[in-house]
């Protein structure tokens, strides 16, 4: 059977807000996992990734006409659910014999609404790799909404079918790579057991691939693509510290020379671990710090303290690993004064990069159910990209007040002479210079 998997059109402005330009693209790894499972079962698969190709609905139509698939599978994140539905309507009208499948993060938490909006043949809620082949081959055996259990054995999955994409088109944002903009993304785990109320990953079942399986994928990427750098897209890479030690030991022992970065919590690290990670090639770690107010951290059930955050940042910097910190504005219970404290905290911690986003109560999160206690919510999902102000806590008088403090955060953090001098001092070659200039251009989009 022929299956075409589509990531719907999404412009840089829709992804990052109206003020910025497109400086990087990320591959649709979820679709690559689906494609790998289908190919393994003998099906012919094509992936059409609209954002990286700048495709419109018309381009997708041409692609469908050329490939002539039996099934089209669409990925729908919350901000793209309307676009995915437009695509479904086009397919129904112009290719009535093609069956349609819709999955993705929005379909997972709002399957009924996704089905009603899209009119798809099947909507998948959850991780579909274990049942996807059966669905494609025997759709009559399944209800219109298929609720899938998390994949238990991640080692049983084939490696993502990256060969269906032109991987040279995917480049990280300028401040997100060290050796090469062509950073490859890898998942070593799935699921996060923490309960942060704003987060779509919360309350997940944590599962982990074996070290051997992850190392095999890295070796394959080095052999096939000559990669120099990977980023782990896991939510909490260091939850299982022993696994990380074993992984680092293997990289060191087998002399696998790659730069890598990951994301985790600041209370899930210790000194021996970060030192080992540095030795094994880790150059950058991303942490959701969220706020400089203990009361707000408690409100969102972050289950950490300002002191643990300070200690963690010191540890990572001490090991010689760059710190990227993410901070949020418009948290439940936040006032303008508290937002200023968050900016002060970001400056005090002085990470190498700070990301300032706006609280977005995505469907399925606890905050999407309790937001009424804390403020007002705009339910236009097209704006759910964490850069647009969709949630206004009662502590603010206007949306403009929230937007202004958000912009101020970028200006106060990045336009500090100390920060600029530190960045200049770290420039070692022309590549560093180019990366920093591009990074500043990208960030400038958020300051006005
Ligand atoms: S914010 Fe991080 S720790 Fe909290 S639930 Fe989400 S992924 Fe887990």
């Amino acid at each position: 059977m022929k299956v075409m998997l589509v990531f719907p059109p999404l412009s840089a402005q829709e992804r990052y807000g109206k003020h910025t330009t497109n400086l990087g693209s990320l591959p649709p790894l979820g679709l690559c996992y689906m494609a790998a499972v289908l190919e393994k079962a003998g099906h012919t698969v094509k992936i059409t990734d609209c954002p990286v190709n700048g495709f419109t609905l018309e381009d997708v139509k041409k692609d469908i006409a050329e490939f002539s698939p039996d099934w089209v599978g669409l990925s729908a994140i919350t901000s793209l659910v309307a676009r995915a539905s437009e695509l479904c309507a086009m397919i129904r009208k112009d290719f009535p014999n093609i069956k349609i499948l819709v999955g993705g993060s929005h379909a997972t938490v709002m399957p009924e609404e996704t089905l009603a909006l899209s009119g798809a043949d099947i909507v998948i809620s959850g991780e579909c790799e274990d049942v996807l082949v059966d669905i494609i081959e025997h759709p009559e055996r399944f209800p219109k909404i298929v609720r899938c259990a998390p994949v238990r054995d991640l080692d049983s999955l084939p490696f993502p079918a990256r060969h269906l994409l032109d991987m040279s088109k995917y480049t990280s944002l300028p401040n997100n790579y060290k050796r090469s903009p062509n950073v490859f993304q890898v998942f070593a785990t799935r699921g996060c057991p923490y309960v942060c109320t704003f987060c779509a990953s919360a309350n997940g079942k944590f599962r982990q691939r074996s070290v051997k399986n992850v190392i095999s994928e890295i070796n394959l990427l080095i052999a096939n693509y000559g990669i120099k750098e990977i980023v782990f897209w896991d939510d909490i890479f260091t939850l299982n510290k022993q696994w990380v030690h074993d992984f680092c030991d293997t990289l060191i022992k087998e002399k696998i020379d790659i730069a890598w970065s990951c994301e985790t919590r600041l209370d899930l690290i210790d000194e021996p671990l970060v030192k080992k990670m540095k030795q094994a090639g880790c150059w950058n770690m991303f942490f959701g710090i969220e706020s400089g107010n203990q009361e707000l951290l408690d409100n969102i059930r972050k289950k950490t303290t300002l002191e643990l955050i300070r200690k963690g940042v010191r540890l990572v910097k001490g090991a010689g690993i760059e710190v990227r910190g993410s901070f949020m504005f418009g948290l439940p219970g936040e006032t303008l004064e508290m937002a200023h404290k968050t900016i002060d905290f970001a400056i005090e911690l002085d990470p190498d990069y700070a990301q300032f986003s706006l609280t977005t109560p995505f469907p399925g999160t606890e905050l999407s159910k309790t937001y009424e206690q804390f403020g007002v919510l705009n339910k236009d999902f097209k704006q759910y990209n964490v850069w647009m102000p969709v949630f206004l806590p009662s502590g603010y008088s206007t949306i403009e007040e929230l937007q202004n403090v958000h912009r101020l955060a970028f200006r106060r953090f990045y336009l500090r002479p100390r920060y600029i001098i530190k960045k200049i001092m770290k420039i070692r070659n022309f590549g560093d210079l180019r990366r920093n200039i591009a990074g500043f251009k990208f960030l400038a989009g958020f300051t006005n």
Side-chain angles (χ1 to χ4, degrees), residues 3-46:
V3 184
M4 182 164 152
L5 301 173
V6 181
F7 195 91
L10 173 73
S11 68
Q13 283 70 26
E14 286 166 328
R15 175 169 284 176
Y16 296 114
K18 61 187 163 72
H19 294 297
T20 196
T21 50
N22 197 4
L23 286 170
S25 296
L26 304 171
L29 215 53
L31 295 185
C32 292
Y33 267 108
M34 289 170 72
V37 167
L38 290 166
E39 282 196 329
K40 196 175 164 196
H43 299 290
T44 306
V45 188
K46 175 182 173 67

Short mmCIF file of all heavy atoms in Angstrom, two decimals, residues 3-46:
data_model
loop_
_atom_site.label_atom_id
_atom_site.label_comp_id
_atom_site.label_asym_id
_atom_site.label_seq_id
_atom_site.Cartn_x
_atom_site.Cartn_y
_atom_site.Cartn_z
N VAL A 3 1.45 5.07 1.29
CA VAL A 3 1.02 5.96 2.37
C VAL A 3 1.82 7.26 2.30
O VAL A 3 3.05 7.24 2.21
CB VAL A 3 1.26 5.32 3.76
CG1 VAL A 3 0.72 6.23 4.87
CG2 VAL A 3 0.62 3.94 3.85
N MET A 4 1.09 8.37 2.31
CA MET A 4 1.78 9.67 2.31
C MET A 4 1.54 10.35 3.66
O MET A 4 0.40 10.49 4.10
CB MET A 4 1.21 10.53 1.18
CG MET A 4 1.87 11.85 1.04
SD MET A 4 1.43 12.53 -0.58
CE MET A 4 1.55 14.25 -0.21
N LEU A 5 2.62 10.72 4.33
CA LEU A 5 2.51 11.36 5.64
C LEU A 5 2.83 12.84 5.48
O LEU A 5 3.85 13.20 4.89
CB LEU A 5 3.49 10.71 6.63
CG LEU A 5 3.29 9.20 6.84
CD1 LEU A 5 4.40 8.61 7.70
CD2 LEU A 5 1.93 8.92 7.49
N VAL A 6 1.95 13.68 5.99
CA VAL A 6 2.08 15.12 5.72
C VAL A 6 2.16 15.92 7.02
O VAL A 6 1.32 15.76 7.92
CB VAL A 6 0.86 15.64 4.91
CG1 VAL A 6 1.00 17.13 4.61
CG2 VAL A 6 0.69 14.85 3.62
N PHE A 7 3.18 16.78 7.11
CA PHE A 7 3.19 17.80 8.16
C PHE A 7 2.65 19.07 7.51
O PHE A 7 3.25 19.60 6.58
CB PHE A 7 4.60 18.02 8.72
CG PHE A 7 4.59 18.79 10.01
CD1 PHE A 7 4.52 18.11 11.22
CD2 PHE A 7 4.59 20.17 10.03
CE1 PHE A 7 4.46 18.81 12.42
CE2 PHE A 7 4.53 20.87 11.23
CZ PHE A 7 4.48 20.19 12.43
N PRO A 8 1.50 19.58 7.96
CA PRO A 8 0.82 20.68 7.25
C PRO A 8 1.64 21.98 7.19
O PRO A 8 2.55 22.19 7.99
CB PRO A 8 -0.46 20.89 8.08
CG PRO A 8 -0.64 19.65 8.87
CD PRO A 8 0.74 19.13 9.13
N PRO A 9 1.27 22.85 6.25
CA PRO A 9 1.98 24.14 6.11
C PRO A 9 2.00 24.94 7.41
O PRO A 9 0.99 25.03 8.10
CB PRO A 9 1.16 24.87 5.04
CG PRO A 9 0.50 23.79 4.25
CD PRO A 9 0.22 22.70 5.23
N LEU A 10 3.17 25.50 7.72
CA LEU A 10 3.35 26.32 8.93
C LEU A 10 4.48 27.30 8.64
O LEU A 10 5.61 26.89 8.39
CB LEU A 10 3.73 25.42 10.11
CG LEU A 10 4.12 26.09 11.43
CD1 LEU A 10 2.88 26.67 12.11
CD2 LEU A 10 4.78 25.09 12.38
N SER A 11 4.17 28.60 8.67
CA SER A 11 5.22 29.58 8.37
C SER A 11 6.04 29.88 9.62
O SER A 11 5.63 29.56 10.75
CB SER A 11 4.59 30.87 7.86
OG SER A 11 3.89 31.49 8.92
N ALA A 12 7.22 30.52 9.42
CA ALA A 12 8.06 30.90 10.56
C ALA A 12 7.29 31.83 11.49
O ALA A 12 7.40 31.76 12.71
CB ALA A 12 9.33 31.58 10.06
N GLN A 13 6.49 32.72 10.89
CA GLN A 13 5.73 33.67 11.71
C GLN A 13 4.71 32.94 12.57
O GLN A 13 4.48 33.28 13.72
CB GLN A 13 5.02 34.70 10.81
CG GLN A 13 5.94 35.78 10.26
CD GLN A 13 6.91 35.25 9.21
OE1 GLN A 13 6.64 34.25 8.55
NE2 GLN A 13 8.05 35.90 9.07
N GLU A 14 4.10 31.88 11.99
CA GLU A 14 3.11 31.12 12.78
C GLU A 14 3.81 30.33 13.89
O GLU A 14 3.25 30.12 14.95
CB GLU A 14 2.34 30.16 11.87
CG GLU A 14 1.33 30.88 11.00
CD GLU A 14 0.80 30.00 9.87
OE1 GLU A 14 1.54 29.14 9.37
OE2 GLU A 14 -0.36 30.20 9.49
N ARG A 15 5.06 29.91 13.63
CA ARG A 15 5.77 29.12 14.64
C ARG A 15 6.34 30.00 15.75
O ARG A 15 6.27 29.68 16.92
CB ARG A 15 6.89 28.32 13.98
CG ARG A 15 7.75 27.56 14.98
CD ARG A 15 8.67 26.58 14.32
NE ARG A 15 7.97 25.39 13.89
CZ ARG A 15 8.53 24.40 13.20
NH1 ARG A 15 9.78 24.45 12.89
NH2 ARG A 15 7.83 23.35 12.84
N TYR A 16 6.92 31.15 15.37
CA TYR A 16 7.63 31.96 16.36
C TYR A 16 6.97 33.30 16.66
O TYR A 16 7.54 34.11 17.38
CB TYR A 16 9.07 32.23 15.89
CG TYR A 16 9.90 30.97 15.77
CD1 TYR A 16 10.35 30.54 14.53
CD2 TYR A 16 10.22 30.22 16.89
CE1 TYR A 16 11.11 29.39 14.42
CE2 TYR A 16 10.97 29.07 16.79
CZ TYR A 16 11.42 28.66 15.54
OH TYR A 16 12.16 27.52 15.45
N GLY A 17 5.80 33.58 16.07
CA GLY A 17 5.18 34.88 16.27
C GLY A 17 5.54 35.79 15.11
O GLY A 17 6.39 35.48 14.29
N LYS A 18 4.88 36.96 15.08
CA LYS A 18 4.96 37.76 13.85
C LYS A 18 6.26 38.52 13.66
O LYS A 18 6.51 39.05 12.60
CB LYS A 18 3.78 38.73 13.79
CG LYS A 18 3.70 39.73 14.91
CD LYS A 18 2.39 40.51 14.80
CE LYS A 18 2.04 41.24 16.07
NZ LYS A 18 2.82 42.36 16.40
N HIS A 19 7.12 38.57 14.67
CA HIS A 19 8.27 39.47 14.55
C HIS A 19 9.56 38.82 14.09
O HIS A 19 10.59 39.45 14.05
CB HIS A 19 8.54 40.14 15.90
CG HIS A 19 7.43 41.05 16.30
ND1 HIS A 19 7.08 42.15 15.58
CD2 HIS A 19 6.58 40.99 17.33
CE1 HIS A 19 6.07 42.76 16.16
NE2 HIS A 19 5.74 42.07 17.23
N THR A 20 9.54 37.53 13.82
CA THR A 20 10.84 36.93 13.57
C THR A 20 10.93 36.24 12.22
O THR A 20 9.94 36.03 11.54
CB THR A 20 11.20 35.97 14.73
OG1 THR A 20 12.59 35.70 14.65
CG2 THR A 20 10.42 34.69 14.66
N THR A 21 12.15 35.88 11.84
CA THR A 21 12.38 35.26 10.53
C THR A 21 12.74 33.79 10.71
O THR A 21 13.10 33.36 11.79
CB THR A 21 13.56 35.95 9.84
OG1 THR A 21 14.64 35.97 10.77
CG2 THR A 21 13.22 37.34 9.40
N ASN A 22 12.68 33.04 9.61
CA ASN A 22 12.95 31.62 9.70
C ASN A 22 14.45 31.35 9.64
O ASN A 22 15.09 31.60 8.63
CB ASN A 22 12.25 30.90 8.54
CG ASN A 22 12.15 29.42 8.82
OD1 ASN A 22 12.53 28.96 9.89
ND2 ASN A 22 11.63 28.68 7.87
N LEU A 23 15.02 30.87 10.74
CA LEU A 23 16.46 30.62 10.74
C LEU A 23 16.78 29.16 11.00
O LEU A 23 17.91 28.78 11.18
CB LEU A 23 17.14 31.48 11.81
CG LEU A 23 17.26 32.96 11.46
CD1 LEU A 23 17.71 33.74 12.66
CD2 LEU A 23 18.22 33.15 10.31
N GLY A 24 15.79 28.32 11.02
CA GLY A 24 16.04 26.91 11.26
C GLY A 24 14.77 26.12 11.07
O GLY A 24 13.67 26.66 11.14
N SER A 25 14.92 24.83 10.79
CA SER A 25 13.75 23.96 10.64
C SER A 25 14.03 22.65 11.33
O SER A 25 15.16 22.17 11.33
CB SER A 25 13.48 23.66 9.16
OG SER A 25 13.16 24.83 8.50
N LEU A 26 12.99 22.06 11.90
CA LEU A 26 13.15 20.81 12.61
C LEU A 26 12.43 19.70 11.86
O LEU A 26 11.31 19.90 11.38
CB LEU A 26 12.57 20.94 14.02
CG LEU A 26 13.17 22.10 14.84
CD1 LEU A 26 12.39 22.31 16.12
CD2 LEU A 26 14.63 21.82 15.15
N PRO A 27 13.04 18.53 11.75
CA PRO A 27 12.39 17.45 11.01
C PRO A 27 11.21 16.86 11.78
O PRO A 27 11.24 16.83 13.02
CB PRO A 27 13.51 16.41 10.86
CG PRO A 27 14.42 16.67 12.00
CD PRO A 27 14.34 18.14 12.29
N PRO A 28 10.19 16.39 11.08
CA PRO A 28 9.04 15.77 11.76
C PRO A 28 9.38 14.33 12.16
O PRO A 28 9.04 13.38 11.46
CB PRO A 28 7.94 15.83 10.69
CG PRO A 28 8.68 15.82 9.39
CD PRO A 28 10.03 16.43 9.62
N LEU A 29 10.05 14.20 13.30
CA LEU A 29 10.57 12.89 13.70
C LEU A 29 9.45 11.88 13.99
O LEU A 29 9.61 10.68 13.76
CB LEU A 29 11.47 13.05 14.94
CG LEU A 29 12.67 12.13 15.03
CD1 LEU A 29 13.53 12.16 13.79
CD2 LEU A 29 13.52 12.45 16.25
N GLY A 30 8.31 12.39 14.48
CA GLY A 30 7.16 11.50 14.74
C GLY A 30 6.72 10.82 13.45
O GLY A 30 6.44 9.61 13.42
N LEU A 31 6.66 11.59 12.35
CA LEU A 31 6.27 11.01 11.06
C LEU A 31 7.33 10.02 10.59
O LEU A 31 7.02 9.01 9.95
CB LEU A 31 6.07 12.12 10.01
CG LEU A 31 4.92 13.10 10.25
CD1 LEU A 31 4.77 14.05 9.06
CD2 LEU A 31 3.59 12.39 10.48
N CYS A 32 8.61 10.32 10.89
CA CYS A 32 9.69 9.40 10.49
C CYS A 32 9.56 8.06 11.22
O CYS A 32 9.87 7.01 10.65
CB CYS A 32 11.06 10.01 10.78
SG CYS A 32 11.44 11.42 9.75
N TYR A 33 9.13 8.09 12.48
CA TYR A 33 8.91 6.83 13.20
C TYR A 33 7.76 6.05 12.56
O TYR A 33 7.84 4.83 12.34
CB TYR A 33 8.61 7.10 14.69
CG TYR A 33 9.85 7.06 15.56
CD1 TYR A 33 10.39 8.22 16.10
CD2 TYR A 33 10.48 5.85 15.84
CE1 TYR A 33 11.53 8.19 16.89
CE2 TYR A 33 11.63 5.81 16.63
CZ TYR A 33 12.15 6.97 17.15
OH TYR A 33 13.28 6.93 17.93
N MET A 34 6.67 6.77 12.23
CA MET A 34 5.52 6.09 11.59
C MET A 34 5.96 5.48 10.26
O MET A 34 5.63 4.33 9.93
CB MET A 34 4.39 7.10 11.35
CG MET A 34 3.69 7.56 12.61
SD MET A 34 2.57 8.94 12.29
CE MET A 34 1.23 8.14 11.40
N ALA A 35 6.72 6.27 9.49
CA ALA A 35 7.16 5.80 8.17
C ALA A 35 8.03 4.55 8.30
O ALA A 35 7.91 3.60 7.52
CB ALA A 35 7.94 6.91 7.47
N ALA A 36 8.89 4.54 9.32
CA ALA A 36 9.80 3.40 9.50
C ALA A 36 9.01 2.12 9.78
O ALA A 36 9.31 1.05 9.24
CB ALA A 36 10.76 3.69 10.65
N VAL A 37 7.98 2.24 10.61
CA VAL A 37 7.15 1.08 10.95
C VAL A 37 6.43 0.57 9.70
O VAL A 37 6.35 -0.64 9.44
CB VAL A 37 6.14 1.48 12.07
CG1 VAL A 37 5.07 0.43 12.23
CG2 VAL A 37 6.87 1.72 13.38
N LEU A 38 5.92 1.50 8.90
CA LEU A 38 5.18 1.11 7.68
C LEU A 38 6.12 0.48 6.65
O LEU A 38 5.78 -0.53 6.03
CB LEU A 38 4.49 2.34 7.07
CG LEU A 38 3.31 2.90 7.89
CD1 LEU A 38 2.92 4.28 7.40
CD2 LEU A 38 2.11 1.96 7.82
N GLU A 39 7.30 1.07 6.49
CA GLU A 39 8.26 0.52 5.52
C GLU A 39 8.69 -0.89 5.94
O GLU A 39 8.83 -1.78 5.10
CB GLU A 39 9.50 1.42 5.42
CG GLU A 39 9.26 2.66 4.58
CD GLU A 39 10.54 3.36 4.15
OE1 GLU A 39 11.54 3.30 4.89
OE2 GLU A 39 10.54 3.97 3.08
N LYS A 40 8.88 -1.07 7.23
CA LYS A 40 9.29 -2.39 7.73
C LYS A 40 8.25 -3.45 7.37
O LYS A 40 8.57 -4.62 7.15
CB LYS A 40 9.48 -2.31 9.25
CG LYS A 40 10.26 -3.45 9.83
CD LYS A 40 10.52 -3.23 11.31
CE LYS A 40 10.95 -4.53 11.96
NZ LYS A 40 10.84 -4.47 13.41
N ALA A 41 6.98 -3.02 7.32
CA ALA A 41 5.90 -3.97 6.98
C ALA A 41 5.70 -4.07 5.47
O ALA A 41 4.75 -4.71 5.01
CB ALA A 41 4.61 -3.52 7.66
N GLY A 42 6.55 -3.40 4.69
CA GLY A 42 6.50 -3.57 3.24
C GLY A 42 5.71 -2.51 2.49
O GLY A 42 5.49 -2.63 1.28
N HIS A 43 5.26 -1.46 3.17
CA HIS A 43 4.49 -0.41 2.49
C HIS A 43 5.42 0.66 1.91
O HIS A 43 6.56 0.81 2.35
CB HIS A 43 3.49 0.23 3.47
CG HIS A 43 2.50 -0.78 3.99
ND1 HIS A 43 1.52 -1.32 3.20
CD2 HIS A 43 2.37 -1.36 5.21
CE1 HIS A 43 0.81 -2.19 3.90
NE2 HIS A 43 1.31 -2.24 5.13
N THR A 44 4.91 1.38 0.91
CA THR A 44 5.70 2.44 0.28
C THR A 44 5.27 3.77 0.89
O THR A 44 4.07 4.09 0.92
CB THR A 44 5.43 2.48 -1.24
OG1 THR A 44 5.67 1.17 -1.74
CG2 THR A 44 6.31 3.48 -1.94
N VAL A 45 6.25 4.52 1.39
CA VAL A 45 5.89 5.72 2.15
C VAL A 45 6.58 6.95 1.58
O VAL A 45 7.74 6.89 1.14
CB VAL A 45 6.30 5.57 3.64
CG1 VAL A 45 5.75 6.73 4.47
CG2 VAL A 45 5.82 4.25 4.22
N LYS A 46 5.85 8.07 1.60
CA LYS A 46 6.45 9.37 1.25
C LYS A 46 6.12 10.33 2.39
O LYS A 46 5.01 10.29 2.93
CB LYS A 46 5.82 9.87 -0.05
CG LYS A 46 6.26 11.27 -0.47
CD LYS A 46 5.53 11.68 -1.76
CE LYS A 46 5.81 13.13 -2.11
NZ LYS A 46 7.19 13.41 -2.49
#
